[in-house]
Amino acid sequence: MNKRNTQQRRHSIISLLNEQGEVSVEELSLRFETSEVTIRKDLGTLEKTGLLLRRYGGAVAVPDEVTQQFSAKIAPNKLSIARVAAELIRDHNRIIIDSGSTTSGLIAQLNAKRGLLVMTNSLTLANAIHDLENEPTLLMTGGTWDPHSESFQGQIAEQVLRSYNFDQLFIGADGIDLERGTTTFNELTGLSKVMAEVSREVVVMLESEKLGRRIPNLELPWSNISVLVSDDKLPSDAVESISKHGVRVILAPYVG
């Protein structure tokens, strides 16, 4: 099965849902000239990412009250970090928001901005951005779906990113290595590096509790990072060490 065609079909299903509010397996099978088994698999995958709700014989759009609770599902400390990070965004900026629970806290803050162009590799974030009242221009990387990170990765995504220039990248991490940079459990780090390459400013968002985690995969070296936004429980000696790498450190109030 052609993965690119699969991704395009699933994007089209979401667009159709946004227009109609509901779809049937039979309707989608005829529209996309594919089997009902394939459509059911599409709907199952999209439901897991929070983009629709399955119903007998088809699917319905996620109710508004569920969409409005998007930020409520994010830990308070991550939301605190996101609020501070969002202050770095100016009207009409071109930004990338990488997949992740901390970066997802930015979405609710974007309604205060105007004229944004936002690219993401996350279906969940794309759906939340689509629902914003100020309607920023939304771009998706496409690529190969990675179930571990619940995001698109791979060469196609990298090629799409290299077609643009961005003002800022907002990205999370699984750990901080004071000597090397940010680290991740995910072995797929190629897209993160390309995101950083095509962005004028790289903003890493992560909680202080991730300091000192021993994770083997280096995601971004300090030389590629402009700003680190964490919470004020990050020890002062860690702030000093990170700052020596030329990284601006901003601390948000810790919210437990």
Side-chain angles (χ1 to χ4, degrees), residues 148-177:
H148 175 76
S149 62
E150 295 190 346
S151 64
F152 291 107
Q153 303 285 336
Q155 293 184 355
I156 292 175
E158 293 172 14
Q159 290 170 7
V160 170
L161 279 166
R162 288 194 172 103
S163 300
Y164 298 87
N165 291 309
F166 294 90
D167 297 300
Q168 294 165 305
L169 161 65
F170 292 87
I171 186 171
D174 293 318
I176 308 173
D177 185 315

Side-chain angles (χ1 to χ4, degrees), residues 20-123:
Q20 300 179 180
E22 61 180 304
V23 292
S24 71
V25 171
E26 182 180 6
E27 169 196 359
L28 296 175
S29 177
L30 292 172
R31 176 183 286 267
F32 297 110
E33 299 181 345
T34 189
S35 71
E36 293 188 1
V37 172
T38 296
I39 294 299
R40 289 191 184 95
K41 183 177 180 181
D42 288 339
L43 298 181
T45 299
L46 292 170
E47 183 178 46
K48 288 178 181 177
T49 59
L51 293 174
L52 55 77
L53 296 176
R54 296 286 298 278
R55 291 292 184 266
Y56 180 76
V60 297
V62 178
D64 289 342
E65 59 268 24
V66 176
T67 303
Q68 291 167 0
Q69 292 170 2
F70 181 79
S71 294
K73 297 178 181 178
I74 304 168
N77 195 42
K78 294 184 178 184
L79 282 175
S80 178
I81 291 171
R83 291 189 189 100
V84 171
E87 294 176 5
L88 301 171
I89 303 173
R90 301 288 176 260
D91 288 348
H92 306 290
N93 270 12
R94 299 160 61 90
I95 67 176
I96 305 172
I97 303 179
D98 190 24
S99 61
S101 57
T102 306
T103 51
S104 64
L106 280 173
I107 305 304
Q109 311 302 317
L110 299 185
N111 260 328
K113 315 295 178 179
R114 294 293 175 266
L116 294 180
L117 183 148
V118 185
M119 176 172 275
T120 184
N121 60 336
S122 164
L123 280 173

Side-chain angles (χ1 to χ4, degrees), residues 189-206:
T189 59
L191 190 65
S192 299
K193 291 177 171 58
V194 175
M195 286 179 172
E197 288 172 12
V198 301
S199 302
R200 179 177 53 81
E201 182 178 60
V202 176
V203 181
V204 173
M205 304 164 56
L206 95 181

